Structure formats: structure tokens, C-alpha cells
Amino acid sequence: MEEVVNLNTVLEQVCAEKNISREVLIETVEQAVATAAKKVFEDREIEASFDPETGNVNLFQVLYVVEDVQSRHREISLEQAHRAGLEAEVGDELLFQIFYLDGDKKRAEQQSKDYAEIDALQFGQHGFGRIAAQTAKQVIIQRVREAERENMFDAYKDKKGELMTGIVRRFERGSIVVEVDNGKAEALLPAREQVPRESLRPGDRIVAYVKDVDKSARGPQIILSRTHRGLVEKLFEHEVPEIYEGIVRIEACAREPGARSKIAVSSRDRDVDPVGACVGIRGSRVQAVVQELRGEKIDIVPYNDDPARFVCNAIQPATVSRVLIDAERHTMELVVPDDKLSLAIGKKGQNVRLASRLTGWRIDIYSESKLRQMERRSLAEMAAIPGVGDAVAGALFQMGWRNLRDLAIADADELAQVPGVGSVDRAESIIEVANDAASGKLTLAVKYPEPASDENRMVVDPSEDEGYAGGDA
């Protein structure tokens, strides 16, 4: 078993090349050889010990001295021990070396002759040397792999949430293996983290976001992403010194990978324009980010603590003429000029969808003509309540009751103050009818105006997508 004889050399090489503790490797090899021996020398108690002088793993069989032998492979009687010339007492443990190397055949034969009466020491030929050599070799290889993975995890676990530059090396089942850190490690770019329609080929240089460092992964432990919103944030941090220094802060980010992103920025210094800092001279900074993202468009908007102003900023480049806020439902209704509706919505709803994710608000967006149509419908519904009429409906609308739902939850005393209502009893009657109509229990004879096209309205809820500002992208 030449491999075992040379274990000292192997251990030294492995420790030096792989940065693995020698003590850990020795303990591992001892356990492996002992386990292999127990499979061959059945029903025996085996111990293994590495000899640093010879570089071999020595095996020993343990025999217990007893009065009455129950197991001939584990026990020896006191009488047998004395006949064999052994000084022992009941309860003692005797260790006998198992000579399993090819060069120890004579010593094994001599031991069998010296202790011919002890059945447990008559091993015969088991060919254990070859088995032990293979076992030791396999265990060292396995332990090296485990140690390498542990070292890799320890080296890169703090890189999570950072950027990493690498070279595309190969494709594996849709995923891309990327060589990072100048060839010191490999990382994985899964299919779900790749930008749609982004074509990558072996040899391409890419910058990616470290989404996770997975200790239990079978393949590369470093998981990269080209779709995570953190990629946009970190690229700006690298390009904009004010962000790195903490003067400018990215408050929120929403992204549709490969198409468009929106970031909201604020400044801690009144003299520093956060949007201008991110754009750079002649757009140099934002263009560097766009180039790294291979043409993805980026909107930089100023953050505002006022939710309405923030939403209006986020919907840019469209202008907003009116904002209606429903704090209870966390919804904003934006009214834009008719000719700006398509700009506010964006291609396939992209602009308003990103604005909703960026701000975290559910956005209902209407054109001015659509809003006027809705107002006329609400006025017609309220006027259809018995005894209300157009004049009272107009007064109700101007004082804040915009539809049947508002009337259904109105306070009777407040409603009684509206010109034309007159009394609390009359107000309670209006509330009751509005409640029945709003809940569908009553159908009013309403003369509705011509309906407006659905193209004049867009509704977006940020919770419908994981990429909104309040969650992970």
C-alpha cells in the first residue's frame, strides 16, 4: 500500500496547496482507515493512529480481559492471557497491532504464531492494504473538496450585495459559469438572473451583482445577478462619488431589466443637486451606467417626502394636472392632459408601472376627459336619488362627496348643512338610499352620459410585482 506509506508527503502537499489544517487531515484519514478496517475485520473493535515518523496509519485491535468469553473477537479470558505470557487482570484492555501492509507480512505471521491460542488475532489474508489505500486516497480528495468549498465560502461570504467583474467561460443548462477574481473562483449566473435578450458569449466581460453566496450549492457557490435592482444602485455608487460618500442617497429603485429603470435620489447637502450629480457633466455618469447595462434606459427623479410630489416626480416625463389621494387604500389618482396620457402610461404601461413600484403607491391614472366623464357619471348617480336633483348633487360634489360610496358613509349632521338637504332626517334618507345603491341592493334610474374609452385610464398596483420599491427585485 504505497499510497499510505507516502501519506506524510501527500499531507504536506495538500496542506501547503489547499490551506487545510494538517491535524484535520490526519484525523480524517484515521477515521477513514478505521471505518474501512471495521468493514473487513467484522465484529472487532478497531482503533487507528497516524504515525508521523513512518507516514503510515497503524491499526490496533482492542481485546477486553474477562472471566467468561462471550465474543471471541472482542474478548480474551484471563487464563488465555496468562498462557500467552501477558500480564493482565480482569477489566484490562489489550491492544494488538494489525499488520496489514505488504511489507509487514512476516510480522503478521510471527504474531499469529506467538498468540496461536488467541482466535481474535488469527486474521488470515484479507487484502486490506489495497482497500485502506483507496479509502485514504478518496477521503483526502473529498476532504480537500470540502475544505476548498469552506475556504471559498469564508472568502466571499462578505461579498454579498457587492459588484463582481468576471469573464464568461461556459454555459451549463441555461446558466452561465463566470470566472471571477482573476481566475481564483467561479460564479454562477442562473437563467432567471439573466437579462432577457441580452446575448453573452464565452470571453465576454460582465459586471454582475452578488445576490448570494450559497454554502450548500453543488456547483459554484457565488450566485450572480444581472437583473437585480442592486446592480443599478451599485453601478451608480461606483460612478457617482457623492453617493459613495453619502452626500447623495438612492432612496428607491425600480427596474425592468434590459428595458428601463427609475431611481429616486435625495441630497443631504443643499448645495448638491442629487439628479445633476447622478447625471454628470454632459450625462457622462449616467451614460457609463447605461453602457454597463447595455443600453437600458434610466430615469433619475428627485425624491420628496410628500407622497404626492414624489409620485408626480416618478411619473415623469409626463406632467400631472391633478392628484387625488386615498390614504386608506394607499391609492393615488393622477389626472394628466389628454395629449400626455400615452406618455404618462409609457410603452405597454411601463412608465406608470415603474412609478408605482418606485413609490410603493397604487396609481390610477386618468386623462382629463376621462375624469370629466367620471364626474358627470357621479353627478348623474347622486342626482338620481329621490329628492336630490341636479342642483343639490352639484353642491354635494363641490363640498367633497364625489360619489355614492362617499354619501353612504357620510355623517348625517354634516350632510344636513348642504344647501337643499335641509334636515338631519332628509340627510339620513339620502345616506340610506346611497348605501343601498352602492351595495347593489337598489337600482337607481340614472341617465348616464356617453361612456369614455378605457384607453383613457390606467391602473397599476405595486404589490402585483416583486420589483416594487418596498421589496427585492
Side-chain angles (χ1 to χ4, degrees):
M1 180 179 147
E2 295 300 328
E3 291 92 337
V4 176
V5 173
N6 294 324
L7 272 181
N8 255 331
T9 304
V10 174
L11 293 175
E12 289 175 3
Q13 291 176 347
V14 172
C15 291
E17 295 176 4
K18 305 299 182 180
N19 192 28
I20 303 173
S21 168
R22 178 183 175 89
E23 289 71 22
V24 171
L25 281 178
I26 289 175
E27 181 182 354
T28 304
V29 172
E30 288 176 347
Q31 292 176 354
V33 174
T35 301
K38 290 176 182 178
K39 292 180 180 179
V40 176
F41 304 107
E42 297 177 353
D43 301 328
R44 290 176 166 84
E45 185 166 342
I46 303 293
E47 292 184 1
S49 175
F50 178 75
D51 186 349
E53 294 184 3
T54 63
N56 297 335
V57 178
N58 296 327
L59 283 176
F60 298 93
Q61 174 171 301
V62 181
L63 292 179
Y64 298 95
V65 180
V66 296
E67 289 285 358
D68 185 18
V69 176
Q70 300 293 326
S71 173
R72 65 188 185 90
H73 288 154
R74 289 175 173 267
E75 299 171 343
I76 180 176
S77 68
L78 183 61
E79 182 181 350
Q80 282 181 309
H82 288 164
R83 283 203 305 267
L86 301 172
E87 296 182 2
E89 297 180 357
V90 175
D92 286 351
E93 297 180 7
L94 304 178
L95 263 65
F96 296 90
Q97 186 170 355
I98 299 176
F99 299 102
Y100 62 93
L101 299 175
D102 293 339
D104 290 336
K105 285 184 178 179
K106 292 183 178 180
R107 296 176 66 185
E109 292 173 357
Q110 185 62 46
Q111 180 176 258
S112 297
K113 291 179 181 179
D114 293 343
Y115 303 108
E117 294 185 1
I118 304 178
D119 294 339
L121 299 181
Q122 309 306 312
F123 298 111
Q125 298 298 322
H126 292 284
F128 177 69
R130 178 180 55 81
I131 297 174
Q134 292 175 347
T135 302
K137 181 179 179 181
Q138 291 171 358
V139 167
I140 289 177
I141 292 173
Q142 180 63 28
R143 184 54 184 159
V144 166
R145 289 175 180 169
E146 292 176 359
E148 284 181 326
R149 295 184 67 77
E150 290 175 3
N151 291 341
M152 180 74 70
F153 178 78
D154 291 339
Y156 292 98
K157 64 182 179 181
D158 295 332
K159 299 287 186 181
K160 184 177 178 180
E162 299 294 330
L163 293 186
M164 192 167 280
T165 303
I167 305 296
V168 175
R169 285 305 177 205
R170 61 185 184 276
F171 296 83
E172 293 182 355
R173 299 177 182 178
S175 298
I176 299 176
V177 177
V178 182
E179 184 183 277
V180 296
D181 203 4
N182 294 322
K184 294 180 182 178
E186 285 188 341
L188 192 69
L189 182 63
R192 64 180 180 276
E193 301 298 337
Q194 298 171 27
V195 176
R197 297 179 297 279
E198 183 178 65
S199 178
L200 296 174
R201 292 178 290 184
D204 286 353
R205 171 195 166 278
I206 63 169
V207 175
Y209 181 82
V210 181
K211 186 176 183 180
D212 194 13
V213 182
D214 187 358
K215 190 174 184 179
S216 62
R218 288 188 177 183
Q221 296 173 295
I222 305 171
I223 309 301
L224 302 179
S225 174
R226 288 276 296 170
T227 62
H228 200 281
R229 68 181 186 189
L231 177 61
V232 176
E233 296 174 358
K234 285 296 179 180
L235 284 172
F236 271 103
E237 184 178 312
H238 279 239
E239 292 294 335
V240 183
E242 290 86 348
I243 293 179
Y244 181 79
E245 294 169 2
I247 299 173
V248 174
R249 179 179 176 183
I250 297 177
E251 298 286 352
C253 178
R255 186 181 181 206
E256 291 197 354
R260 193 173 185 177
S261 293
K262 283 181 181 284
I263 65 168
V265 292
S266 64
S267 176
R268 296 173 58 186
D269 189 335
R270 293 183 179 180
D271 296 329
V272 177
D273 174 20
V275 176
C278 293
V279 172
I281 299 175
R282 297 180 181 177
S284 59
R285 292 175 177 177
V286 69
Q287 284 304 317
V289 176
V290 169
Q291 185 177 359
E292 199 64 66
L293 296 176
R294 306 198 175 200
E296 183 174 314
K297 295 179 181 179
I298 298 176
D299 297 336
I300 305 170
V301 302
Y303 174 79
N304 199 298
D305 290 330
D306 181 352
R309 291 184 179 274
F310 184 27
V311 170
C312 290
N313 292 341
I315 207 69
Q316 292 178 2
T319 55
V320 179
S321 54
R322 288 177 63 185
V323 179
L324 303 175
I325 300 177
D326 186 341
E328 185 177 345
R329 294 191 298 160
H330 204 66
T331 299
M332 283 197 195
E333 296 181 356
L334 305 184
V335 182
V336 299
D338 288 16
D339 60 344
K340 300 294 183 182
L341 181 65
S342 60
L343 185 63
I345 294 174
K347 185 179 180 180
K348 296 181 180 179
Q350 185 184 77
N351 190 57
V352 67
R353 188 163 56 246
L354 285 173
S356 180
R357 296 177 194 169
L358 187 74
T359 60
W361 281 78
R362 182 179 187 271
I363 296 176
D364 292 0
I365 187 165
Y366 305 95
S367 66
E368 290 180 341
S369 61
K370 174 66 175 180
L371 182 66
R372 287 194 295 270
Q373 182 72 21
M374 292 172 61
E375 290 177 350
R376 289 197 295 269
R377 288 176 62 89
S378 294
L379 284 169
E381 289 175 350
M382 291 191 292
I385 296 175
V388 173
D390 293 337
V392 176
L396 290 170
F397 191 90
Q398 288 185 354
M399 296 184 69
W401 289 281
R402 302 283 176 165
N403 49 50
L404 294 176
R405 291 195 305 272
D406 290 346
L407 286 178
I409 58 173
D411 181 80
D413 290 332
E414 291 182 5
L415 199 62
Q417 303 302 317
V418 177
V421 175
S423 67
V424 174
D425 290 340
R426 181 67 189 134
E428 289 177 347
S429 176
I430 293 173
I431 292 172
E432 183 179 354
V433 173
N435 186 52
D436 290 343
S439 62
K441 296 179 181 179
L442 176 66
T443 302
L444 296 174
V446 183
K447 186 178 180 180
Y448 288 111
E450 290 296 323
S453 170
D454 287 339
E455 294 178 357
N456 293 330
R457 183 189 180 203
M458 180 73 179
V459 180
V460 175
D461 189 339
S463 63
E464 294 175 358
D465 192 287
E466 294 180 357
Y468 73 102
D472 292 333

